[in-house]
Amino acid sequence: MVRRTSTEFVALAMCLCAAGLAQVGLAQKDAPQAPPVPERVEAPKTMPGAPGAPNADTTGLAIDPRTYVIGPEDVLYVSVWREADFSRPAGVRPDGKITMPLIGDLQAAGLTPERLAAQLTQALSEYINKPEITVTVAQVNSKRYTVVGEVTRAGVFPLVVRTKVFDALGSAGGFRDFANKKDIIIIRGDQRLKFNWNEVVKGKKLEQNIYLENGDTILVK
Protein backbone atom coordinates (compact mmCIF):
# COMPACT_ATOMS: atom_id res chain seq x y z
CA MET A 1 0.00 0.00 0.00
CA VAL A 2 1.39 3.35 -1.09
CA ARG A 3 1.14 6.05 1.53
CA ARG A 4 0.60 9.60 0.26
CA THR A 5 1.46 12.75 2.05
CA SER A 6 -1.08 15.46 2.68
CA THR A 7 0.61 17.57 0.02
CA GLU A 8 0.08 14.86 -2.56
CA PHE A 9 -3.60 14.54 -1.59
CA VAL A 10 -4.13 18.28 -2.04
CA ALA A 11 -2.44 18.22 -5.45
CA LEU A 12 -4.55 15.25 -6.55
CA ALA A 13 -7.77 16.97 -5.44
CA MET A 14 -6.86 20.12 -7.37
CA CYS A 15 -6.24 18.10 -10.53
CA LEU A 16 -9.59 16.32 -10.24
CA CYS A 17 -11.37 19.65 -9.66
CA ALA A 18 -9.73 21.24 -12.70
CA ALA A 19 -10.68 18.27 -14.86
CA GLY A 20 -14.28 18.49 -13.70
CA LEU A 21 -14.47 22.20 -14.50
CA ALA A 22 -13.03 21.58 -17.95
CA GLN A 23 -15.69 18.96 -18.70
CA VAL A 24 -18.46 21.36 -17.58
CA GLY A 25 -17.04 24.07 -19.84
CA LEU A 26 -16.98 21.73 -22.84
CA ALA A 27 -20.56 20.62 -22.14
CA GLN A 28 -21.74 24.24 -22.00
CA LYS A 29 -19.87 25.05 -25.20
CA ASP A 30 -21.45 22.12 -27.06
CA ALA A 31 -24.97 22.72 -25.71
CA PRO A 32 -27.36 24.47 -28.13
CA GLN A 33 -27.63 28.18 -27.43
CA ALA A 34 -31.07 29.72 -27.00
CA PRO A 35 -31.79 32.41 -29.58
CA PRO A 36 -31.54 35.98 -28.26
CA VAL A 37 -34.86 37.53 -27.25
CA PRO A 38 -35.61 40.34 -29.69
CA GLU A 39 -36.07 43.76 -28.20
CA ARG A 40 -39.70 44.81 -28.19
CA VAL A 41 -40.31 47.73 -30.51
CA GLU A 42 -43.62 49.56 -30.33
CA ALA A 43 -45.22 50.99 -33.43
CA PRO A 44 -45.07 54.79 -33.63
CA LYS A 45 -48.21 56.45 -32.40
CA THR A 46 -49.55 59.51 -34.21
CA MET A 47 -52.70 61.47 -33.80
CA PRO A 48 -55.00 62.03 -36.79
CA GLY A 49 -54.12 65.34 -38.38
CA ALA A 50 -50.90 65.74 -36.42
CA PRO A 51 -47.72 66.67 -38.30
CA GLY A 52 -46.25 63.51 -39.75
CA ALA A 53 -49.48 61.54 -39.39
CA PRO A 54 -51.30 60.15 -42.42
CA ASN A 55 -53.91 62.54 -43.76
CA ALA A 56 -57.49 61.75 -42.83
CA ASP A 57 -56.67 58.74 -40.72
CA THR A 58 -60.04 57.33 -39.63
CA THR A 59 -58.84 54.68 -37.23
CA GLY A 60 -61.35 54.34 -34.42
CA LEU A 61 -63.93 56.63 -36.04
CA ALA A 62 -67.46 55.31 -36.49
CA ILE A 63 -68.52 55.58 -40.13
CA ASP A 64 -72.19 54.85 -40.72
CA PRO A 65 -72.44 52.57 -43.78
CA ARG A 66 -76.03 53.74 -44.34
CA THR A 67 -75.32 57.49 -44.53
CA TYR A 68 -71.66 58.08 -45.44
CA VAL A 69 -71.24 58.94 -49.12
CA ILE A 70 -68.13 57.45 -50.70
CA GLY A 71 -65.90 59.84 -52.62
CA PRO A 72 -62.81 59.70 -54.87
CA GLU A 73 -59.56 58.67 -53.13
CA ASP A 74 -61.39 57.00 -50.24
CA VAL A 75 -60.01 53.56 -49.31
CA LEU A 76 -62.59 50.82 -48.88
CA TYR A 77 -62.40 47.24 -47.68
CA VAL A 78 -64.63 44.70 -49.42
CA SER A 79 -65.25 41.56 -47.36
CA VAL A 80 -66.86 38.55 -49.03
CA TRP A 81 -67.72 35.89 -46.47
CA ARG A 82 -65.83 32.62 -47.04
CA GLU A 83 -64.31 33.99 -50.26
CA ALA A 84 -60.78 35.14 -49.39
CA ASP A 85 -59.89 35.71 -53.04
CA PHE A 86 -62.51 38.44 -53.27
CA SER A 87 -61.92 40.08 -49.88
CA ARG A 88 -59.50 42.96 -50.36
CA PRO A 89 -58.91 46.70 -49.96
CA ALA A 90 -60.18 48.81 -52.84
CA GLY A 91 -59.09 52.37 -53.49
CA VAL A 92 -61.62 54.66 -55.16
CA ARG A 93 -60.00 56.15 -58.25
CA PRO A 94 -60.37 59.82 -59.26
CA ASP A 95 -63.09 58.71 -61.71
CA GLY A 96 -65.06 57.34 -58.75
CA LYS A 97 -64.71 53.66 -59.63
CA ILE A 98 -63.15 50.59 -58.01
CA THR A 99 -61.93 47.40 -59.67
CA MET A 100 -62.96 43.94 -58.43
CA PRO A 101 -62.08 40.44 -59.69
CA LEU A 102 -64.52 39.06 -62.29
CA ILE A 103 -66.70 42.17 -62.03
CA GLY A 104 -64.19 44.69 -63.34
CA ASP A 105 -64.88 48.41 -62.83
CA LEU A 106 -67.80 49.46 -60.67
CA GLN A 107 -68.99 52.93 -59.67
CA ALA A 108 -68.42 53.59 -55.96
CA ALA A 109 -68.33 57.39 -55.52
CA GLY A 110 -71.73 58.81 -54.70
CA LEU A 111 -72.92 55.59 -53.05
CA THR A 112 -73.09 54.64 -49.40
CA PRO A 113 -71.08 51.55 -48.33
CA GLU A 114 -74.37 49.74 -47.79
CA ARG A 115 -75.60 50.55 -51.30
CA LEU A 116 -72.25 49.57 -52.85
CA ALA A 117 -72.35 46.24 -51.00
CA ALA A 118 -75.80 45.58 -52.49
CA GLN A 119 -74.52 46.27 -56.01
CA LEU A 120 -71.48 44.05 -55.47
CA THR A 121 -73.74 41.28 -54.18
CA GLN A 122 -75.86 41.48 -57.31
CA ALA A 123 -72.83 41.49 -59.62
CA LEU A 124 -71.03 38.60 -57.87
CA SER A 125 -74.19 36.48 -57.77
CA GLU A 126 -73.39 35.47 -61.34
CA TYR A 127 -70.22 33.74 -60.12
CA ILE A 128 -70.81 32.93 -56.43
CA ASN A 129 -73.85 31.33 -54.85
CA LYS A 130 -75.51 33.85 -52.51
CA PRO A 131 -72.46 35.99 -51.68
CA GLU A 132 -72.49 37.88 -48.39
CA ILE A 133 -70.63 41.15 -48.83
CA THR A 134 -69.74 43.94 -46.41
CA VAL A 135 -68.12 47.23 -47.47
CA THR A 136 -66.36 49.36 -44.89
CA VAL A 137 -64.53 52.66 -45.25
CA ALA A 138 -60.93 52.11 -44.14
CA GLN A 139 -59.73 55.64 -44.80
CA VAL A 140 -61.48 58.90 -45.63
CA ASN A 141 -59.61 61.04 -48.15
CA SER A 142 -62.46 62.64 -50.09
CA LYS A 143 -63.86 64.78 -47.25
CA ARG A 144 -61.62 66.73 -44.92
CA TYR A 145 -60.93 70.06 -43.31
CA THR A 146 -57.75 71.79 -42.21
CA VAL A 147 -56.87 73.62 -38.99
CA VAL A 148 -53.84 75.90 -39.09
CA GLY A 149 -52.24 78.53 -36.85
CA GLU A 150 -52.14 78.79 -33.08
CA VAL A 151 -53.60 75.41 -32.13
CA THR A 152 -52.00 72.44 -30.41
CA ARG A 153 -52.33 70.04 -33.34
CA ALA A 154 -52.53 71.76 -36.70
CA GLY A 155 -53.20 69.50 -39.68
CA VAL A 156 -55.75 67.80 -41.90
CA PHE A 157 -58.75 66.05 -40.31
CA PRO A 158 -61.33 63.67 -41.82
CA LEU A 159 -64.83 65.07 -42.20
CA VAL A 160 -66.58 61.79 -41.44
CA VAL A 161 -69.66 63.19 -39.68
CA ARG A 162 -71.21 66.65 -39.56
CA THR A 163 -68.78 68.77 -37.56
CA LYS A 164 -69.12 72.32 -36.26
CA VAL A 165 -66.27 74.82 -35.90
CA PHE A 166 -66.25 74.58 -32.10
CA ASP A 167 -65.87 70.78 -32.21
CA ALA A 168 -63.19 70.96 -34.91
CA LEU A 169 -61.08 73.26 -32.72
CA GLY A 170 -61.44 70.75 -29.90
CA SER A 171 -60.19 67.98 -32.20
CA ALA A 172 -57.14 70.13 -32.90
CA GLY A 173 -56.26 70.05 -29.21
CA GLY A 174 -57.34 73.57 -28.32
CA PHE A 175 -55.37 76.79 -28.46
CA ARG A 176 -51.80 77.80 -27.81
CA ASP A 177 -51.05 80.44 -25.21
CA PHE A 178 -51.16 83.51 -27.46
CA ALA A 179 -53.98 82.49 -29.81
CA ASN A 180 -56.51 85.15 -30.74
CA LYS A 181 -59.75 83.36 -29.88
CA LYS A 182 -61.92 86.34 -30.85
CA ASP A 183 -60.88 86.52 -34.50
CA ILE A 184 -60.87 83.02 -35.95
CA ILE A 185 -61.46 82.76 -39.71
CA ILE A 186 -63.07 79.95 -41.69
CA ILE A 187 -61.79 80.01 -45.27
CA ARG A 188 -64.35 78.54 -47.66
CA GLY A 189 -63.43 79.18 -51.27
CA ASP A 190 -63.70 82.95 -51.75
CA GLN A 191 -65.57 83.40 -48.46
CA ARG A 192 -64.03 84.50 -45.16
CA LEU A 193 -66.31 83.61 -42.25
CA LYS A 194 -65.72 84.95 -38.72
CA PHE A 195 -65.82 82.89 -35.54
CA ASN A 196 -65.47 84.21 -32.00
CA TRP A 197 -64.70 81.33 -29.65
CA ASN A 198 -65.15 83.47 -26.52
CA GLU A 199 -68.73 84.33 -27.52
CA VAL A 200 -69.70 80.78 -28.44
CA VAL A 201 -68.30 79.27 -25.25
CA LYS A 202 -70.54 81.71 -23.31
CA GLY A 203 -73.58 80.72 -25.36
CA LYS A 204 -73.72 83.95 -27.37
CA LYS A 205 -74.19 84.32 -31.15
CA LEU A 206 -74.32 80.58 -31.67
CA GLU A 207 -75.23 81.04 -35.34
CA GLN A 208 -71.53 81.56 -36.10
CA ASN A 209 -70.81 77.99 -34.98
CA ILE A 210 -71.50 76.64 -38.46
CA TYR A 211 -71.10 73.15 -39.86
CA LEU A 212 -67.87 72.67 -41.80
CA GLU A 213 -67.87 71.73 -45.45
CA ASN A 214 -65.38 69.64 -47.38
CA GLY A 215 -62.23 71.67 -48.02
CA ASP A 216 -62.79 74.28 -45.30
CA THR A 217 -59.74 75.72 -43.52
CA ILE A 218 -59.90 77.11 -40.00
CA LEU A 219 -57.27 79.80 -39.37
CA VAL A 220 -56.39 80.66 -35.78
CA LYS A 221 -54.16 83.74 -35.58
Side-chain angles (χ1 to χ4, degrees):
M1 180 176 178
V2 179
R3 294 183 179 273
R4 299 183 183 273
T5 63
S6 59
T7 302
E8 290 175 329
F9 276 116
V10 171
L12 179 60
M14 291 178 65
C15 290
L16 292 174
C17 181
L21 290 175
Q23 290 180 351
V24 171
L26 289 174
Q28 290 178 343
K29 182 178 179 180
D30 294 337
Q33 299 295 317
V37 178
E39 182 181 356
R40 182 180 179 182
V41 179
E42 294 186 359
K45 298 178 180 178
T46 54
M47 295 295 295
N55 283 342
D57 182 7
T58 56
T59 303
L61 295 181
I63 299 176
D64 191 341
R66 297 169 299 177
T67 59
Y68 179 81
V69 179
I70 299 168
E73 299 184 9
D74 283 347
V75 179
L76 311 176
Y77 189 84
V78 179
S79 176
V80 184
W81 190 54
R82 291 185 176 178
E83 296 290 343
D85 292 339
F86 293 92
S87 298
R88 61 183 58 207
V92 183
R93 303 197 303 263
D95 63 0
K97 297 181 179 181
I98 61 173
T99 301
M100 291 293 295
L102 298 180
I103 300 175
D105 291 346
L106 189 70
Q107 183 68 27
L111 304 178
T112 63
E114 193 174 76
R115 179 59 183 161
L116 178 58
Q119 291 196 6
L120 285 168
T121 299
Q122 182 178 359
L124 274 179
S125 294
E126 298 181 14
Y127 309 97
I128 300 174
N129 184 31
K130 296 181 180 180
E132 296 184 24
I133 300 176
T134 303
V135 176
T136 55
V137 181
Q139 187 171 339
V140 174
N141 292 324
S142 62
K143 302 171 186 64
R144 49 195 173 187
Y145 64 89
T146 305
V147 184
V148 296
E150 296 300 308
V151 292
T152 303
R153 289 195 306 272
V156 180
F157 295 81
L159 190 57
V160 177
V161 297
R162 299 187 72 193
T163 303
K164 291 189 174 183
V165 178
F166 188 89
D167 300 318
L169 291 169
S171 297
F175 303 99
R176 293 181 180 174
D177 292 339
F178 300 103
N180 184 353
K181 303 175 186 178
K182 298 180 180 180
D183 190 20
I184 298 170
I185 299 175
I186 296 93
I187 302 172
R188 178 177 294 171
D190 296 333
Q191 300 181 65
R192 299 295 182 270
L193 309 173
K194 298 286 187 177
F195 180 83
N196 187 324
W197 188 88
N198 288 345
E199 290 179 343
V200 173
V201 79
K202 294 177 182 178
K204 300 178 181 179
K205 299 182 180 180
L206 298 180
E207 65 276 5
Q208 63 187 305
N209 188 25
I210 59 175
Y211 283 105
L212 294 174
E213 295 181 1
N214 183 32
D216 282 355
T217 297
I218 302 174
L219 172 61
V220 181
K221 301 177 182 178

